[in-house]
Amino acid sequence: MLRPDNTNIPLEADPIDRLIAAHRPGYGLTRPFYHDEAIYRRDMERVFRRHWHCIAHESVIPNVNDFEVFRMDTEQVIVARAPDGSVHAMLNVCRHRGAEVCTKQKGNARVFVCPYHAWTYGNDGSLRAARLMPKDFQREDHGLKKLHVRVVEGLIFISFADQPLDFSEVEHLLHATCGQYGWGSAKIAHRETYPVAANWKLAVENYVECYHCGPAHPEYSQTHALEQPLHMIEALNAAMEERTCDLGIEIGSGNHWQTSREGREAIHAFRYALYEGVESGSEDGKAVAPLMGRFSDFDGGVTSIHLGGTTFLVCYPDHGMIYRFIPKTAESCEMELIWLVDGKAEEGRDYDLEKLTWLWKVTTVEDKAIIEHTARGVKSHYFVPGPIAPMEHNELRYIDWYLDEIGRP
């Protein structure tokens, strides 16, 4: 996929292509990938505008005409629920002079009126009125720019691409995973955004490996067996799968982590055990919310899903987590965490919000510190990436995937 031999790279080659070709297999990325503005702009073009992104759970807009504005890099996306219940995603850019047509972060509105010249758009993106335009003006040709949308098991996915990547493998695997946990009928219990003074890739690379979990996340490591090498938790994983089977539940897994060369989106779903006696991801390992989906008891396991390069999902029998990585600039990003519970659960009666969110708040604060320590360190002109450790196999895979994506127009 990537040719490490850089002896025949033409001197006139694009500087970014030269960096990609010079990458040393089995090692981390070099300094420019975390700071260079030109590389960041290519990231946006060839990763973010090529792949699908989970932007929210649809319970964020539960009612007809509800909307919310989401920001990624320089883009603003209006996600709205139309009168027929369908979900639409549109760029917050007037088709006249480019002004923001939606000036509120969230709310309920049948139309969006541009504050500049009062062009008026429906919440499905159609242009409803354009005052004082000539008689031959075609309103149907000037609706808001629509993005591709898929809603699967309650998750809203968007794609900026003109021709989006095939989503069928993703959809099937989400039904086999999140569907078993009842995410389609879940609701958001809490959302929290963490600003990170680091390039988005440093944040993602940190998330996908658990080599750091033992020394950096003692709270997580008390309950989650993934802090150990996979060969050391095989018995724990087998016992987990047996318990799941005894509950009459079959949760899918599958490795479709692939580049976009064949026109398909990447997804990898895998399962791992919690330690003996642990029910859920919490401070004491006990349940923090009512069971969800098909679960009538706890199986002592976790289902983890990596999707499209920026979306990561965590499924427990009693709650779920959506982890979104949001680029802001070449040296800053955000991590948004979304906690899901059963749609009928009530805060204060069925769950305590502090207990529900404790573990992943603690873990994310620790991650933010680690990522920012790394961001400051890799600014050094003398930084040379070291070899990827065996427990960082997912990071190694992610780096190879990323380099292939930005290496192709």
Side-chain angles (χ1 to χ4, degrees), residues 122-143:
N123 54 24
D124 62 353
S126 60
L127 180 61
R128 300 286 183 83
R131 55 187 293 275
L132 304 180
M133 292 300 286
K135 290 183 178 181
D136 60 352
F137 176 73
Q138 301 293 316
R139 284 185 302 172
E140 59 270 22
D141 295 336
H142 295 85

Side-chain angles (χ1 to χ4, degrees), residues 49-121:
R49 283 190 278 277
R50 180 179 284 168
H51 286 273
W52 289 89
H53 310 277
C54 178
I55 204 163
H57 187 273
E58 66 173 336
S59 60
V60 78
I61 47 169
N63 304 310
V64 166
N65 300 329
D66 280 353
F67 71 88
E68 183 166 342
V69 177
F70 295 84
R71 291 168 173 81
M72 303 172 68
D73 184 42
T74 59
E75 306 299 342
Q76 295 185 38
V77 179
I78 306 169
V79 176
R81 191 177 294 277
D84 65 358
S86 59
V87 176
H88 297 263
M90 305 146 284
L91 293 181
N92 191 16
V93 179
C94 183
R95 291 294 304 280
H96 178 222
R97 297 288 299 279
E100 299 169 347
V101 300
C102 185
T103 57
K104 294 182 179 180
Q105 177 64 33
K106 61 174 64 177
N108 185 280
R110 290 178 296 175
V111 296
F112 303 114
V113 182
C114 177
Y116 200 173
H117 298 98
W119 282 29
T120 301
Y121 300 88

Side-chain angles (χ1 to χ4, degrees), residues 50-359:
R50 180 179 284 168
H51 286 273
W52 289 89
H53 310 277
C54 178
I55 204 163
H57 187 273
E58 66 173 336
S59 60
V60 78
I61 47 169
N63 304 310
V64 166
N65 300 329
D66 280 353
F67 71 88
E68 183 166 342
V69 177
F70 295 84
R71 291 168 173 81
M72 303 172 68
D73 184 42
T74 59
E75 306 299 342
Q76 295 185 38
V77 179
I78 306 169
V79 176
R81 191 177 294 277
D84 65 358
S86 59
V87 176
H88 297 263
M90 305 146 284
L91 293 181
N92 191 16
V93 179
C94 183
R95 291 294 304 280
H96 178 222
R97 297 288 299 279
E100 299 169 347
V101 300
C102 185
T103 57
K104 294 182 179 180
Q105 177 64 33
K106 61 174 64 177
N108 185 280
R110 290 178 296 175
V111 296
F112 303 114
V113 182
C114 177
Y116 200 173
H117 298 98
W119 282 29
T120 301
Y121 300 88
N123 54 24
D124 62 353
S126 60
L127 180 61
R128 300 286 183 83
R131 55 187 293 275
L132 304 180
M133 292 300 286
K135 290 183 178 181
D136 60 352
F137 176 73
Q138 301 293 316
R139 284 185 302 172
E140 59 270 22
D141 295 336
H142 295 85
L144 295 177
K145 168 67 176 175
K146 298 286 293 289
L147 303 182
H148 298 277
V149 177
R150 298 285 188 276
V151 180
V152 183
E153 297 298 341
L155 302 174
I156 302 173
F157 294 89
I158 63 167
S159 173
F160 294 92
D162 291 334
Q163 296 292 328
L165 296 174
D166 185 279
F167 203 65
S168 57
E169 288 177 339
V170 172
E171 188 166 359
H172 293 152
L173 199 46
L174 289 177
H175 288 318
T177 52
C178 299
Q180 303 300 299
Y181 289 89
W183 281 28
S185 57
K187 69 176 183 180
I188 295 174
H190 185 66
R191 298 163 67 186
E192 190 144 343
T193 299
Y194 297 80
V196 183
N199 182 272
W200 69 276
K201 293 188 294 293
L202 285 175
V204 172
E205 289 174 28
N206 171 77
Y207 181 90
V208 299
E209 56 92 352
C210 214
Y211 184 41
H212 74 284
C213 291
H217 299 310
E219 303 85 0
Y220 173 93
S221 297
Q222 286 180 351
T223 52
H224 293 67
L226 195 63
E227 55 98 13
Q228 296 189 59
L230 292 178
H231 70 274
M232 295 180 64
I233 62 172
E234 288 179 351
L236 283 170
N237 284 345
M240 170 200 67
E241 293 291 4
E242 185 174 348
R243 287 191 296 270
T244 310
C245 184
D246 288 343
L247 291 172
I249 301 172
E250 183 177 353
I251 298 174
S253 61
N255 189 353
H256 303 289
W257 193 260
Q258 57 206 336
T259 68
S260 60
R261 286 179 179 269
E262 302 300 322
R264 295 189 294 271
E265 187 54 275
I267 184 170
H268 179 205
F270 59 96
R271 308 197 69 223
Y272 64 91
L274 299 167
Y275 282 121
E276 185 176 352
V278 175
E279 295 176 327
S280 185
S282 61
E283 183 174 9
D284 59 5
K286 300 302 183 183
V288 290
L291 289 164
M292 300 172 65
R294 298 188 59 217
F295 283 84
S296 59
D297 200 355
F298 291 88
D299 67 344
V302 184
T303 299
S304 181
I305 302 164
H306 298 185
L307 199 163
T310 62
T311 298
F312 300 87
L313 312 173
V314 179
C315 308
Y316 300 103
D318 63 341
H319 71 287
M321 298 293 307
I322 303 171
Y323 231 109
R324 299 180 59 228
F325 291 90
I326 307 164
K328 306 303 287 186
T329 69
E331 295 186 344
S332 68
C333 66
E334 291 178 346
M335 299 185 294
E336 184 186 22
L337 276 66
I338 303 172
W339 283 261
L340 301 177
V341 294
D342 183 79
K344 296 179 181 178
E346 293 185 15
E347 182 183 349
R349 186 194 70 182
D350 299 310
Y351 64 92
D352 179 287
L353 191 59
E354 184 176 350
K355 290 182 178 179
L356 175 73
T357 60
W358 184 87
L359 178 65

